[in-house]
Amino acid sequence: MDYYLIIDILGVIAFSISGVLSSMKKKMDPFGILIIAFVTSVGGGTLRDILIGFPVAWMRNLTYVHVILATTVFAIIFRKKLIFFRRSLFLFDTVGIGLYTIIGVEKGLAADFPPIICIAIGTMTACFGGVIRDILCNEIPLLFRTKEIYATACILGGITYFILLKLQLSSEVVFTLSGAVVIIVRSLAVYFDLRLPSVYFHSEEK
Amino acid sequence: MDYYLIIDILGVIAFSISGVLSSMKKKMDPFGILIIAFVTSVGGGTLRDILIGFPVAWMRNLTYVHVILATTVFAIIFRKKLIFFRRSLFLFDTVGIGLYTIIGVEKGLAADFPPIICIAIGTMTACFGGVIRDILCNEIPLLFRTKEIYATACILGGITYFILLKLQLSSEVVFTLSGAVVIIVRSLAVYFDLRLPSVYFHSEEK
Amino acid sequence: MDYYLIIDILGVIAFSISGVLSSMKKKMDPFGILIIAFVTSVGGGTLRDILIGFPVAWMRNLTYVHVILATTVFAIIFRKKLIFFRRSLFLFDTVGIGLYTIIGVEKGLAADFPPIICIAIGTMTACFGGVIRDILCNEIPLLFRTKEIYATACILGGITYFILLKLQLSSEVVFTLSGAVVIIVRSLAVYFDLRLPSVYFHSEEK
């Protein structure tokens, strides 16, 4: 439980910073930045909890709200230091999706859903916050920029989770390794500019 | 129950193909296509179940997931055949909204909502998946392109449903006829380029 | 309870008109206008009820639907009179967010959430309908146009609510005064063109 919360908080921090960086690029005011940070952090988990039928996590545990507030204030104050990480917005985003994917998978398992649904829940948990962030910042969602390996990384991490689970490893090892798969796949894809082949119609129609 | 599921599955297939066709136009990768197909198929029903307070259908019944996966793989492999249907994207979409409208109306009735709310639920079930599809593909929702008879067809089908229900016809007849109304109204509107009159301000302001 | 419903209905009327005005600018057909009016009015409250886990208010109380229908028909018929209010779209919007913020705060309290969560619920109740309206009308959400004092007004109204509550004033006084704070802050901000300072990176990067 405690271990669970700590990991969750790390994801919240990672996504809050990613939200702050996105919204500062749009020259938003402090409250706008806070809202974007908030939505980016808890959007995916909120969708997950609503779909599963769980009470929404951040509404009953003020830890989330305090962490988002503190992270946002911290990120705004130290924005000139953060600028060195600006090109690395993807780093925070990547750590975030790694953590959130596996948290989502585990919440799906806790609600007794079959593996394929758990992987879908994990992928949504990871990707939905960022999709909302991009829509609210009026950018095309990073998730859907063609051929990026993004949701794919989450799906592969989810599959890894269930393979490792079959091998009866300890839950911490399963969590860490499958989360690492998401982060490594996404990072390698960005670093080596790997892309999935696109599928489209070979037609001369407009 | 079985009859219900079969109709539901037909709608899922129709909307999955419509999602695959939309996303292939955007040259998405296979996983992106799968996600768009998935969201297009189950988005409307998910909204419906959350609003009604039902458990979300596709999360507890893997049939949906398998059908979407199979349809997507099939549609990607046979995309060169599907190209002949490309201009007919509206066909799949139209069959989909016909089926989903009436499924939505019936689920509303099952939850004991008044007719007007059932019609609203049916229209949302039918239209919401396509709205999400269009937003994620970064196009203006087909639903809101001015003066198209789209949601209007769903509303008319829903009204037909309750008129036929008053006539005490068998539930299959009511379902089939009112679903057909949606499909026919939408098809005729596209074929004859019928449009509703728009309402706007007669003003020279920008 | 009755008092509650009356206030709620006033908010529904205000937001319906704001939705009708927005959609008429886009030359939508009558059904499109109705849908936008509907979503603008109940979108925020629907999100609130789903997040809290309450049954969705408008689905069980036809008063909302009737009010939205009547307001929409009225607004369409008298659109040439409403034109004088066109530049005052913000007025309806402002009254709406004032009412909805405090309704949201009170529903959060009724569900026993801590103050900070209640303020977040109130702000979402107020802002979400308008965000959906703007997205469906294909405009950048008013909420996120940089530096506008919009959500900020809701947050200040929410904070006022809890300060007044501490002072043990009657619930009507608390409701009215804190709602007025939202409306006054927003109006003054628009009138005097007050804006929050934006926070951004001082960098020459693109």
Side-chain angles (χ1 to χ4, degrees):
Chain A
M1 185 60 198
D2 263 6
Y3 170 74
Y4 216 53
L5 187 62
I6 291 166
I7 297 290
D8 212 353
I9 293 304
L10 284 180
V12 168
I13 293 173
F15 269 124
S16 292
I17 293 177
S18 128
V20 169
L21 288 170
S22 287
S23 50
M24 277 201 281
K25 273 199 270 181
K26 298 284 166 178
K27 304 188 179 177
M28 288 193 184
D29 64 65
F31 280 113
I33 292 172
L34 179 61
I35 291 173
I36 302 290
F38 199 86
V39 169
T40 309
S41 313
V42 303
T46 302
L47 178 68
R48 176 198 63 214
D49 292 337
I50 289 173
L51 284 178
I52 295 182
F54 282 174
V56 178
W58 61 267
M59 296 179 75
R60 290 295 179 193
N61 189 336
L62 282 180
T63 311
Y64 293 93
V65 178
H66 293 150
V67 168
I68 295 169
L69 276 170
T71 307
T72 302
V73 170
F74 175 89
I76 290 176
I77 292 172
F78 292 100
R79 62 187 180 281
K80 286 177 188 174
K81 310 287 183 207
L82 278 174
I83 196 169
F84 299 111
F85 299 106
R86 190 179 166 190
R87 290 168 193 270
S88 316
L89 173 56
F90 96 92
L91 183 77
F92 293 104
D93 202 77
T94 302
V95 174
I97 61 168
L99 295 169
Y100 275 33
T101 301
I102 311 306
I103 290 168
V105 167
E106 296 204 332
K107 292 223 171 173
L109 268 179
D112 217 25
F113 285 109
I116 200 166
I117 299 295
C118 293
I119 295 171
I121 293 171
T123 304
M124 277 185 299
T125 308
C127 298
F128 195 76
V131 168
I132 305 179
R133 176 199 63 209
D134 292 341
I135 289 175
L136 294 183
C137 288
N138 200 30
E139 296 195 344
I140 301 173
L142 190 62
L143 181 61
F144 295 102
R145 282 174 209 160
T146 44
K147 294 175 274 172
E148 286 268 350
I149 292 178
Y150 192 96
T152 311
C154 301
I155 294 170
L156 291 177
I159 293 170
T160 306
Y161 185 94
F162 285 99
I163 291 171
L164 295 177
L165 207 64
K166 279 263 156 100
L167 300 177
Q168 307 205 302
L169 301 171
S170 82
S171 63
E172 280 83 3
V173 171
V174 172
F175 189 104
T176 311
L177 285 182
S178 50
V181 164
V182 179
I183 295 170
I184 290 168
V185 168
R186 172 72 182 145
S187 303
L188 289 178
V190 170
Y191 191 75
F192 291 110
D193 200 29
L194 298 178
R195 284 152 192 279
L196 289 178
S198 64
V199 179
Y200 62 102
F201 291 113
H202 304 281
S203 101
E204 50 281 23
E205 295 176 65
K206 198 169 54 146
Chain B
M1 184 62 198
D2 263 6
Y3 171 75
Y4 216 54
L5 186 63
I6 291 166
I7 299 289
D8 211 352
I9 292 305
L10 285 179
V12 168
I13 292 173
F15 269 125
S16 292
I17 292 177
S18 129
V20 168
L21 289 169
S22 288
S23 51
M24 276 201 282
K25 274 199 267 181
K26 298 286 167 176
K27 303 188 182 179
M28 288 193 183
D29 63 65
F31 280 114
I33 293 173
L34 178 61
I35 291 172
I36 301 291
F38 199 86
V39 168
T40 310
S41 315
V42 303
T46 302
L47 178 68
R48 176 199 63 213
D49 293 337
I50 289 173
L51 284 178
I52 296 183
F54 281 174
V56 179
W58 61 267
M59 295 179 76
R60 290 296 179 192
N61 188 336
L62 282 181
T63 311
Y64 294 93
V65 177
H66 293 150
V67 168
I68 295 168
L69 275 170
T71 306
T72 303
V73 170
F74 174 89
I76 290 176
I77 291 173
F78 291 101
R79 64 187 179 279
K80 287 179 188 173
K81 311 290 185 205
L82 280 174
I83 196 171
F84 298 111
F85 299 106
R86 189 180 168 189
R87 290 169 193 272
S88 315
L89 172 56
F90 96 91
L91 184 76
F92 294 104
D93 203 76
T94 302
V95 173
I97 63 169
L99 295 169
Y100 275 33
T101 300
I102 312 306
I103 291 170
V105 167
E106 296 204 333
K107 292 223 173 175
L109 269 179
D112 218 25
F113 286 107
I116 201 166
I117 299 294
C118 293
I119 295 171
I121 293 172
T123 304
M124 277 186 299
T125 308
C127 299
F128 194 75
V131 169
I132 306 180
R133 177 199 62 208
D134 292 341
I135 289 175
L136 294 183
C137 289
N138 200 30
E139 296 194 344
I140 300 172
L142 189 60
L143 182 60
F144 296 102
R145 284 175 208 159
T146 43
K147 294 177 272 173
E148 287 268 350
I149 292 178
Y150 192 96
T152 311
C154 302
I155 294 170
L156 292 178
I159 293 170
T160 306
Y161 185 93
F162 284 99
I163 292 172
L164 295 177
L165 206 65
K166 280 261 156 102
L167 302 179
Q168 305 205 305
L169 300 172
S170 81
S171 63
E172 281 83 2
V173 171
V174 173
F175 189 104
T176 310
L177 286 182
S178 51
V181 165
V182 179
I183 295 170
I184 291 168
V185 169
R186 171 73 183 142
S187 302
L188 289 178
V190 169
Y191 191 76
F192 291 109
D193 201 28
L194 299 177
R195 283 151 192 281
L196 289 176
S198 65
V199 180
Y200 61 103
F201 291 115
H202 303 279
S203 101
E204 50 283 21
E205 293 179 68
K206 196 168 54 141
Chain C
M1 183 63 198
D2 264 5
Y3 171 73
Y4 215 54
L5 186 63
I6 291 166
I7 298 289
D8 211 350
I9 293 302
L10 285 180
V12 168
I13 293 172
F15 269 125
S16 292
I17 293 176
S18 127
V20 169
L21 289 170
S22 287
S23 49
M24 276 201 281
K25 273 200 268 179
K26 297 286 166 176
K27 304 190 179 174
M28 287 193 184
D29 63 65
F31 280 113
I33 292 173
L34 178 62
I35 291 173
I36 301 291
F38 198 87
V39 169
T40 309
S41 314
V42 303
T46 303
L47 178 68
R48 175 199 64 213
D49 292 337
I50 289 173
L51 284 178
I52 295 182
F54 280 175
V56 179
W58 61 268
M59 295 179 75
R60 291 293 179 194
N61 189 336
L62 281 180
T63 311
Y64 294 95
V65 178
H66 294 151
V67 168
I68 296 169
L69 275 170
T71 307
T72 303
V73 170
F74 175 89
I76 289 177
I77 291 173
F78 293 99
R79 63 186 179 279
K80 286 178 189 174
K81 311 289 184 208
L82 280 173
I83 197 170
F84 299 110
F85 299 106
R86 190 182 167 189
R87 290 168 194 271
S88 316
L89 173 56
F90 96 91
L91 184 77
F92 294 104
D93 203 77
T94 302
V95 173
I97 62 169
L99 295 170
Y100 275 34
T101 300
I102 311 306
I103 291 169
V105 167
E106 296 204 332
K107 292 224 172 174
L109 268 179
D112 217 23
F113 286 107
I116 199 166
I117 298 293
C118 294
I119 295 172
I121 292 172
T123 305
M124 277 186 299
T125 307
C127 298
F128 194 75
V131 168
I132 305 181
R133 177 199 63 210
D134 292 342
I135 289 176
L136 294 184
C137 288
N138 202 29
E139 296 193 344
I140 301 173
L142 190 61
L143 180 60
F144 295 101
R145 283 174 210 160
T146 44
K147 293 175 273 172
E148 287 269 349
I149 291 178
Y150 191 98
T152 311
C154 301
I155 294 170
L156 291 177
I159 292 170
T160 305
Y161 185 93
F162 284 99
I163 291 170
L164 296 177
L165 206 66
K166 279 262 155 101
L167 302 178
Q168 305 203 306
L169 301 172
S170 82
S171 62
E172 280 82 3
V173 171
V174 173
F175 189 104
T176 310
L177 286 182
S178 50
V181 165
V182 178
I183 294 170
I184 291 168
V185 168
R186 172 72 183 144
S187 303
L188 289 178
V190 170
Y191 191 77
F192 292 108
D193 200 30
L194 298 178
R195 284 151 192 281
L196 290 176
S198 64
V199 180
Y200 61 101
F201 291 113
H202 304 280
S203 100
E204 50 282 21
E205 292 180 67
K206 197 169 52 142

